[in-house]
Amino acid sequence: MVRDRNNDEWIKSLEAEGPVRETALADLRELLVVGLKSSLKSRSDYVESMMDDFLQDSLIRILQALNQFQNRSRFVTWATSIAIRVAMTELRKRRWRDVSLEKLVADTNFDPVSDVDGDVVPERRELVEAMYRVINTQLTDRQRTVLLAEIKGMAQEEIAGQLGCSRNALYKLSHDARFRLKQELVQAGFDYQSFAFAFNE
Amino acid sequence: MSMTGEEIQRLLDVVRDTQAVEIDCDVCLMQVGEFAEDRLAGKPIAEGLKAIEQHLLICPECREEFEALCQAINALKKTAS
Ligand SMILES: [Zn+2]
């Protein structure tokens, strides 16, 4: 039976040396297995043989980040959130590593609304057209690329890798693009309601 | 190939929810545990966690991880009892 601990105990035992630390690591590992298994079980891209690598990488990340734990949740919750980040980042990497960002962008156009295969509510057509206009004329190539890749669901890690930039730089590109779009659309007189209901259900 | 209606709506949604100042995925990761515990306990969103709520609206990867974390917390509760 795994022994849970209060937050202070977890930190102290993981920062200790010798058997105290070893026991705490073994217990934490078992709890991470429970959390990871339940959160990955419904995914078709997860196979059990990946678990050991996920656990090993997660424990390293958790120990490295110990001083960032702010004691505002249960320690195990915090540790599990890091393990999930590690596992999902790896799964996304596998899913997207053979997809070329360049090709994805080249294959997709911000085409006129008539090409859209959704049902545009007539009075919202103007909004979607305005959005395309801003995307095509007000954003940089890199901003447009990032915006498109993210909407297509491409993994951020993979986008950053193929663009040769850091995750932080990628985030800034994405934020600048979204914020510019929002400013331009609001300035053009579109309100939040029209953003929410552009398409028929 | 053009964008699908669903993709365009997703784009409109993230544009709508974009704020001038936002946190990034690393900051979100350090606080999402507290956010998830509060949500599962049915507590209202604390002022200090509003930025997490906003990030989860615009970031599908962190949202996916948040949903996975909620499942994990529930599973851990079951093993504890
Ligand atoms: Zn994020």
Side-chain angles (χ1 to χ4, degrees):
Chain A
M1 182 72 194
V2 183
R3 189 166 74 88
D4 197 358
R5 296 158 171 79
N6 68 35
N7 289 356
D8 283 350
E9 270 184 283
W10 272 117
I11 299 289
K12 273 196 195 123
S13 10
L14 289 171
E15 283 176 340
E17 278 170 31
V20 173
R21 182 177 199 256
E22 292 311 314
T23 311
L25 274 174
D27 286 350
L28 180 58
R29 191 185 152 96
E30 268 194 63
L31 293 170
L32 293 181
V33 170
V34 173
L36 277 182
K37 272 194 177 159
S38 77
S39 55
L40 297 175
K41 68 178 178 220
S42 56
R43 295 182 67 114
S44 57
D45 55 351
Y46 163 70
V47 284
E48 246 178 78
S49 59
M50 297 171 177
M51 183 57 88
D52 276 348
D53 282 347
F54 288 166
L55 288 169
Q56 198 175 342
D57 292 350
S58 297
L59 286 170
I60 293 171
R61 283 279 298 274
I62 290 163
L63 292 175
Q64 280 170 345
L66 270 191
N67 63 353
Q68 292 176 55
F69 176 59
Q70 296 163 11
N71 208 16
R72 288 164 58 155
S73 68
R74 292 181 64 231
F75 176 78
V76 172
T77 300
W78 177 79
T80 303
S81 69
I82 293 180
I84 289 173
R85 166 71 50 95
V86 166
M88 295 219 168
T89 301
E90 180 58 31
L91 290 173
R92 289 185 197 114
K93 218 192 291 179
R94 287 166 191 250
R95 193 180 339 145
W96 288 95
R97 67 185 162 197
D98 296 326
V99 178
S100 154
L101 182 60
E102 216 176 327
K103 191 168 176 330
L104 185 81
V105 173
D107 285 353
T108 312
N109 287 309
F110 289 106
D111 286 336
V113 178
S114 54
D115 281 355
V116 171
D117 66 4
D119 243 340
V120 184
V121 182
E123 57 268 34
R124 309 299 180 211
R125 183 173 289 267
E126 229 181 307
L127 166 68
V128 179
E129 276 171 355
M131 183 172 73
Y132 276 120
R133 210 162 33 242
V134 177
I135 290 172
N136 284 321
T137 62
Q138 307 286 317
L139 302 186
T140 66
D141 283 348
R142 275 166 89 85
Q143 286 175 343
R144 208 165 19 242
T145 297
V146 167
L147 200 64
L148 179 66
E150 286 187 348
I151 287 304
K152 292 278 176 192
M154 189 167 184
Q156 293 182 39
E157 195 87 5
E158 191 59 37
I159 302 172
Q162 292 194 30
L163 280 179
C165 69
S166 68
R167 278 290 297 265
N168 278 347
L170 176 71
Y171 192 79
K172 193 172 171 349
L173 277 169
S174 162
H175 177 257
D176 288 352
R178 287 182 282 109
F179 193 58
R180 184 70 194 262
L181 254 176
K182 181 172 181 171
Q183 278 181 316
E184 295 283 339
L185 291 176
V186 170
Q187 254 174 37
F190 295 104
D191 60 11
Y192 289 2
Q193 283 247 306
S194 53
F195 279 44
F197 302 110
F199 287 87
N200 281 321
E201 287 300 304
Chain B
M1 183 173 60
S2 47
M3 300 216 302
T4 64
E6 199 190 315
E7 285 166 351
I8 296 174
Q9 185 60 60
R10 217 181 303 148
L11 182 52
L12 284 166
D13 288 343
V14 295
V15 167
R16 179 197 59 212
D17 295 323
T18 292
Q19 298 295 331
V21 179
E22 295 179 345
I23 56 166
D24 64 21
C25 301
D26 287 342
V27 175
C28 180
L29 177 60
M30 286 300 117
Q31 293 178 27
V32 72
E34 182 189 2
F35 185 83
E37 285 180 355
D38 283 3
R39 290 307 297 271
L40 289 174
K43 289 189 197 165
I45 296 162
E47 203 49 47
L49 293 174
K50 291 269 163 73
I52 303 291
E53 185 188 30
Q54 189 267 342
H55 185 79
L56 295 179
L57 285 174
I58 56 110
C59 180
E61 293 186 6
C62 286
R63 192 164 59 239
E64 184 180 36
E65 291 170 19
F66 161 72
E67 281 157 11
L69 180 62
C70 290
Q71 279 180 5
I73 293 173
N74 283 332
L76 283 161
K77 257 186 225 151
K78 269 182 225 152
T79 46
S81 58

